Amino acid sequence: MHRMSNLFLRTLRDDPSDAEVPSHRLLVRAGYIRRSAPGGFSWLPLGYEVFRNVERIVREEMNAAGFQEVHFPALLPIEPYQATNRYEEYGPNLFRLQDRHGADFLLAPTHEEMFALTVKDLFSSYRDLPLVIYQIQTKFRDEVRPRAGLLRTREFSMKDSYSFDLNEAGLQASYDAHRAAYIKLFERLELPCVIVSALSGAMGGSESEEFLAPLPVGEDTFIRCTSCDFAANVEAVHTPVPEAQAFTGLPVAAVHDTPKTPTISTLVDYVNADSALRHPDRDWTAADTLKNVVVNIKHPDGTVEPLAVGIEGHREVDMKRLGAQVEPAQVEPFSEDDFKKYPSLKKGYIGPGVLGTTNESGIRYLLDPRIVDGTQWITGADNYNQHVLHLTAGRDFVGDGTIEAAEVLDGDNCPSCGSEVEIARGIEIAHIFQLGTKYAAALDLTLRDENDQPVTPTMGSYGVGVSRCLAAIAEATLDDSGLCWPREVAPADIHVIIAGKDGSPQVSAAEDLATSLEVAGLRVLLDDRSKASLGVKFKDAELIGVPTIVVVGRGIADEENPTIEVKDRRSGERQDIPHDSIVEHLVALCS
RNA sequence: CGGGGUGUAGCGCAGCUUGGUUAGCGCGCCUGCUUUGGGAGCAGGAGGCCGGGAGUUCGAAUCUCCCCACCCCGACCA
């Protein structure tokens, strides 16, 4: 039993000034966590109760799925990560350090290498597979910008599992088992989630899906179809490719003077205002223009290569999408100095005429998939103050390939069914990957197959952000008064408030009740503070967010029909329950 | 790393523009009395390197420069 009179807790009346997102504000205000380091939080007693509850539920669901728990160090030598090339690919996000002898270590961001090596250590036969092992462990990532309290920290708790199978079918089965286990897990945590297809990024591998809790504070942007069940992270959206058009009858491309039109909007205004250039039937729009954006691609080895991207003029380049396409290279802006190195690039008037590896600039030129043969564009003529109209893809220009780098807009066509998609934000609470043989091969993990031949197992990896889930649950359930936990993760089942002064019958009745509830197996938080006013106790109870609040007050003094008030935190409904049936009433509530 | 913002008591803030008493308010904290169904009242009290450093000045929380930290927005990820 936690007693408020001596609990290591301080609730705050005001929002902390350094907290912006609601879960962060309330977790600090209600005394669950404190910031103790840049991107690092300490758990206070109530917070640690909730954390352990979430962790326990994750563990129970993993065990129920037949996965086995292990535990690895976070402090690891770098060699296994060098073998898979992740030491380099992970880049500055990896915490690197040295021991007293100068040997290099890292703080693990995930553990694929170590799990593969341990399987190599223990297993030799195909008959040992399939295998799924997992751990719940502290991970370290040197995030550029920790933010939003527990949602993005540099040290965080993650459940990571790894599957080992002999073939694709086995991997698919392990993947599906995790997918199903996660769906159950998040139902139990009362955490709404959307499963979206995703890119595997630095992890490598093929198939990958994210579980997003659809909440506005989420950092991930995803799209979902308004009519079918398609959903995808914007990074993973494949643009539906329109049909190519025949060239016959299409107007000839022609260069026109378009003075002072370095931006799409000035260009559109100009061509609509010029009687010779106007569209015969309608106004030109930004979607009629072809925008060519040049960026630098910085490869992990330090080399920098320019890249031109051609997209519809009404869209921006989505840096997340572009970055995901060039992973592990990084996207950097194309500077004024860079423009000087390529005099053929006329800023504001860049067109396909100079772009592409075989044209004057020699810059690789990748097109949005919508720019198919036969589409006609208004685009830069590679001279200042000139644009070209009716420039036709496939006839007048070609790219070096296509790229998914244009921003996705509300109302774009669904890649699956063609109707409209909508854009939403979500918190990434889990991510599942089919890795294939990348790790096993790099680390020489082989088993003997039924013909005594070496076989490289295929792996999957599956992560759940445990501490992040806690924040997401808080975010999904909180209200204007405070936190509002689902019972299973709440720091207690019952929050008992004593509404009476020292020595009053309320005190002894509440003490007896708390003890009886504990004996009955319920977890109790007892507000036995004598100096706190009742108003403070009510406010604190709502802030702390235990699902059931019990007030032992004036009702107990009714000699004929003594009652105790039971209040549901979420609905606010109150009920007076007869004193002699209160324990069984509450036990029933909590089961 | 770029852009924006904020650093004053445990927490939330004012003061800074226009330099000048002993740096102020609310909450919290300590002592005493009263109070107890929605953040109590009265009385008394403690608590500050005004983020750090350098400068300007007779004098700096206030003006100048440099640094640091934190928050928000952009490029990473559970």
Side-chain angles (χ1 to χ4, degrees):
Chain A
M1 183 194 311
H2 286 301
R3 289 175 177 272
M4 294 282 279
S5 59
N6 64 7
L7 188 59
F8 186 51
L9 170 80
R10 192 94 319 160
T11 58
L12 301 176
R13 181 176 296 219
D14 301 307
D15 285 334
S17 63
D18 61 353
E20 189 72 19
V21 311
S23 61
H24 184 197
R25 279 205 314 259
L26 288 176
L27 286 168
V28 173
R29 266 189 67 198
Y32 283 67
I33 58 171
R34 279 296 153 111
R35 196 191 85 93
S36 296
F41 285 86
S42 306
W43 299 102
L44 301 180
L46 293 179
Y48 206 43
E49 291 276 0
V50 176
F51 174 76
R52 283 185 313 225
N53 286 339
V54 175
E55 190 184 48
R56 188 196 77 242
I57 293 167
V58 171
R59 177 175 287 118
E60 286 173 3
E61 292 301 321
M62 293 303 103
N63 293 345
F67 311 152
Q68 302 177 55
E69 185 170 11
V70 295
H71 199 77
F72 281 70
L75 179 66
L76 296 170
I78 66 170
E79 287 77 10
Y81 287 77
Q82 286 177 320
T84 58
N85 211 32
R86 280 215 300 172
Y87 190 69
E88 285 71 33
E89 285 174 0
Y90 234 97
N93 257 22
L94 192 60
F95 271 110
R96 300 150 202 267
L97 62 164
Q98 292 190 325
D99 74 2
R100 62 171 68 195
H101 303 111
D104 290 309
F105 283 81
L106 57 81
L107 293 171
T110 64
H111 279 76
E112 282 76 6
E113 286 82 353
M114 302 313 296
F115 275 68
L117 285 172
T118 305
V119 170
K120 180 180 175 182
D121 184 18
L122 266 68
F123 281 1
S124 319
S125 163
Y126 74 97
R127 282 185 297 213
D128 294 321
L129 299 194
L131 170 72
V132 176
I133 44 183
Y134 77 95
Q135 65 175 344
I136 297 174
Q137 217 249 14
T138 304
K139 302 294 191 216
F140 295 87
R141 291 183 194 169
D142 190 358
E143 296 288 347
V144 179
R145 188 161 83 87
R147 63 172 289 276
L150 256 24
L151 285 178
R152 178 164 222 83
T153 57
R154 300 209 285 185
E155 178 179 340
F156 60 95
S157 174
M158 178 164 110
K159 188 288 300 179
D160 47 326
S161 350
Y162 304 88
S163 67
F164 298 83
D165 287 281
L166 289 169
N167 53 40
E168 283 299 310
L171 172 58
Q172 189 65 47
S174 294
Y175 184 91
D176 291 342
H178 273 91
R179 203 173 186 278
Y182 283 10
I183 290 170
K184 277 181 68 183
L185 168 64
F186 295 128
E187 275 174 9
R188 191 166 161 202
L189 290 174
E190 297 185 30
L191 195 48
C193 71
V194 179
I195 303 174
V196 303
S197 39
L199 295 179
S200 45
M203 301 292 292
S206 50
E207 179 84 1
S208 155
E209 288 172 297
E210 290 171 340
F211 289 67
L212 301 181
L215 293 162
V217 297
E219 298 179 280
D220 276 55
T221 306
F222 69 100
I223 62 167
R224 53 183 158 190
C225 182
T226 50
S227 70
C228 75
D229 62 358
F230 178 85
N233 193 299
V234 284
E235 295 166 25
V237 172
H238 291 287
T239 304
V241 179
E243 283 209 19
Q245 303 293 310
F247 300 140
T248 50
L250 293 179
V252 175
V255 175
H256 296 275
D257 287 332
T258 54
K260 296 184 187 164
T261 55
T263 64
I264 296 291
S265 65
T266 54
L267 173 62
V268 170
D269 290 346
Y270 185 91
V271 293
N272 279 326
D274 186 318
S275 57
L277 303 182
R278 284 179 54 182
H279 193 285
D281 312 320
R282 59 177 174 92
D283 282 346
W284 295 108
T285 70
D288 295 310
T289 69
L290 173 62
K291 175 156 66 179
N292 298 292
V293 179
V294 187
V295 296
N296 276 323
I297 303 299
K298 185 177 181 186
H299 294 284
D301 64 7
T303 58
V304 175
E305 166 201 15
L307 173 70
V309 176
I311 59 173
E312 294 175 309
H314 67 298
R315 294 175 194 269
E316 298 296 330
V317 171
D318 184 323
M319 296 309 280
K320 280 192 176 185
R321 298 194 75 208
L322 177 55
Q325 297 297 319
V326 301
E327 177 92 63
Q330 308 246 318
V331 180
E332 294 184 344
F334 203 72
S335 68
E336 291 297 332
D337 285 346
D338 292 319
F339 272 104
K340 287 179 188 149
K341 286 183 225 157
Y342 292 89
S344 61
L345 300 181
K346 306 294 190 296
K347 193 175 180 184
Y349 302 89
I350 301 170
V354 298
L355 299 172
T357 49
T358 59
N359 284 322
E360 186 178 348
S361 72
I363 295 174
R364 198 155 64 103
Y365 183 39
L366 299 177
L367 293 169
D368 185 86
R370 296 175 190 82
I371 302 167
V372 293
D373 284 0
T375 53
Q376 296 212 302
W377 303 96
I378 303 172
T379 190
D382 301 307
N383 274 316
Y384 289 115
N385 301 316
Q386 287 195 331
H387 281 86
V388 53
L389 270 68
H390 302 301
L391 196 75
T392 304
R395 182 187 73 182
D396 304 325
F397 71 98
V398 291
D400 297 313
T402 61
I403 190 165
E404 294 280 0
E407 68 179 328
V408 179
L409 299 174
D410 254 322
D412 277 356
N413 294 331
C414 170
S416 177
C417 75
S419 52
E420 293 192 353
V421 300
E422 63 181 8
I423 294 181
R425 304 270 284 181
I427 300 171
E428 183 185 359
I429 49 178
H431 201 156
I432 54 180
F433 300 89
Q434 295 191 13
L435 296 174
T437 54
K438 167 180 171 169
Y439 293 89
L443 296 164
D444 294 323
L445 165 59
T446 61
L447 304 171
R448 307 308 290 189
D449 70 8
E450 52 268 71
N451 300 313
D452 200 22
Q453 296 300 306
V455 57
T456 303
T458 181
M459 289 176 60
S461 96
Y462 317 89
V464 173
V466 177
S467 41
R468 181 180 280 180
C469 274
L470 185 155
I473 295 167
E475 200 70 52
T477 54
L478 59 83
D479 63 19
D480 289 343
S481 308
L483 298 164
C484 209
W485 299 108
R487 187 171 303 283
E488 252 203 298
V489 302
D493 289 302
I494 309 287
H495 186 136
V496 178
I497 290 176
I498 302 178
K501 45 184 140 184
D502 282 351
S504 68
Q506 282 85 356
V507 174
S508 52
E511 290 281 354
D512 291 347
L513 173 61
T515 304
S516 305
L517 292 173
E518 285 228 313
V519 169
L522 302 187
R523 300 165 299 144
V524 178
L525 174 61
L526 175 63
D527 194 345
D528 57 346
R529 294 175 295 179
S530 53
K531 61 265 180 216
S533 75
L534 198 49
V536 169
K537 291 182 179 182
F538 286 142
K539 291 288 186 192
D540 277 349
E542 280 151 11
L543 182 60
I544 287 168
V546 169
T548 303
I549 299 165
V550 169
V551 185
V552 182
R554 55 193 176 198
I556 201 73
D558 183 332
E559 284 177 15
E560 295 203 351
N561 180 25
T563 59
I564 287 176
E565 178 182 316
V566 176
K567 179 177 170 181
D568 183 72
R569 168 64 182 86
R570 191 164 295 179
S571 69
E573 280 171 32
R574 304 182 199 186
Q575 262 189 94
D576 287 325
I577 305 299
H579 188 192
D580 53 13
S581 62
I582 184 71
V583 173
E584 59 178 338
H585 177 86
L586 292 172
V587 167
L589 252 188
C590 296
S591 57

